[in-house]
Each structure stands twice: as C-alpha cells, then as structure tokens.
Amino acid sequence: MSENQFRVLVDTSALISAMLFRGESRKFLETILEKHRLVLSTFIISETSRVVAKKFPDQLGFWDRQLSQMSFELVYTPEDFSQLDLPQTRDENDLPILASAVISQPDLIVTGDKDFKSREIQEYFAIYTPGEFLRFFESEE
C-alpha cells in the first residue's frame, strides 16, 4: 500500500448504492478500488447480501459477481461486542459496523447513515458520505 492510500471501510448503505446505482454513488467505490484499500467486514457483506436479496432480488447475482471480483481486506465481526470500546450510537443496529470499525481501525468510514455523523462517532473515526469522499479524495494521486 502506498503512502497516500487510505484503508476505507464502506458500510452497507453506501455499498448497496455503489453497486446498484450510477453516478456519484458508484464513482466513490471505483475511486477506492483504484487508489485506496477497501475494507469490508463479515457483517457488512452478510447484511448487504440480505438487503439486496430482500429489496433488489433481481440484482443478487450481480452483487455476488461484483463481490467475487473486488479486492478488499476482510475483517471478522464478532457476535459479542461487550469487550470492545464502542462509541455511543442512537441506533443499536449500527453496533456491528462500529465493532467492525473498532477492530479494523480504518483511516476513513464511508457511509450514507446520518447517525454516523454524530459527535460521539466522529471522535473515534473520520466519517464521510460518498459525495464528501469524492470531493476530498478523488483527485489525490
């Protein structure tokens, strides 16, 4: 990994947008794959598969092919978070992603989830929306 590459954890909402929609949603993931290091967790992959199967069943094969062709760092998400120092969050459903982030210690997190923009979470991690990521990092070499 070169000096100016970042390890970027992408959450489920941003990953689904990048896979299934064009424009800015897809461009941020392409930028990460070309210039940085994508970090995914076992929870994010599982949750993405579940959401795609439920909401976009005709896209499940596409998601499976994309996942098998992407290069990424895989992080295990534990079932028990009690030993982890996690930031406070309004939504308990975000705990597995926060646990994955605490374990993997990414340089950045890209998410479409507004709850991650809380002061508590931003004290732990640099949080960007896909659009913010593109504005700040797309032109960097």
Side-chain angles (χ1 to χ4, degrees), residues 77-128:
T77 307
E79 296 293 324
D80 178 11
F81 312 134
S82 63
Q83 301 302 311
L84 298 174
D85 182 22
L86 300 179
Q88 293 284 327
T89 181
R90 180 194 67 79
D91 185 356
E92 282 193 10
N93 292 325
D94 292 334
L95 289 175
I97 293 174
L98 290 171
S100 300
V102 166
I103 290 166
S104 64
Q105 291 297 299
D107 299 305
L108 316 166
I109 297 175
V110 177
T111 178
D113 187 336
K114 290 177 178 40
D115 286 333
F116 279 73
K117 288 291 196 172
S118 73
R119 185 176 40 108
E120 292 84 1
I121 293 175
Q122 288 188 359
E123 287 177 5
Y124 280 69
F125 303 106
I127 307 293
Y128 293 86

Side-chain angles (χ1 to χ4, degrees), residues 28-96:
F28 95 87
L29 185 59
E30 290 170 355
T31 300
I32 292 170
L33 292 171
E34 290 170 13
K35 300 179 181 179
H36 303 284
R37 181 81 176 141
L38 176 63
V39 178
L40 296 177
S41 71
T42 53
F43 175 82
I44 291 168
I45 291 171
S46 175
E47 183 181 46
T48 300
S49 295
R50 185 178 48 77
V51 171
V52 169
K54 183 177 179 182
K55 294 186 176 182
F56 308 99
D58 59 322
Q59 297 296 316
L60 192 55
F62 176 73
W63 157 243
D64 284 339
R65 284 189 304 281
Q66 292 297 309
L67 184 62
S68 69
Q69 295 170 4
M70 285 190 304
S71 174
F72 58 90
E73 177 183 334
L74 182 62
V75 176
Y76 174 70
T77 307
E79 296 293 324
D80 178 11
F81 312 134
S82 63
Q83 301 302 311
L84 298 174
D85 182 22
L86 300 179
Q88 293 284 327
T89 181
R90 180 194 67 79
D91 185 356
E92 282 193 10
N93 292 325
D94 292 334
L95 289 175

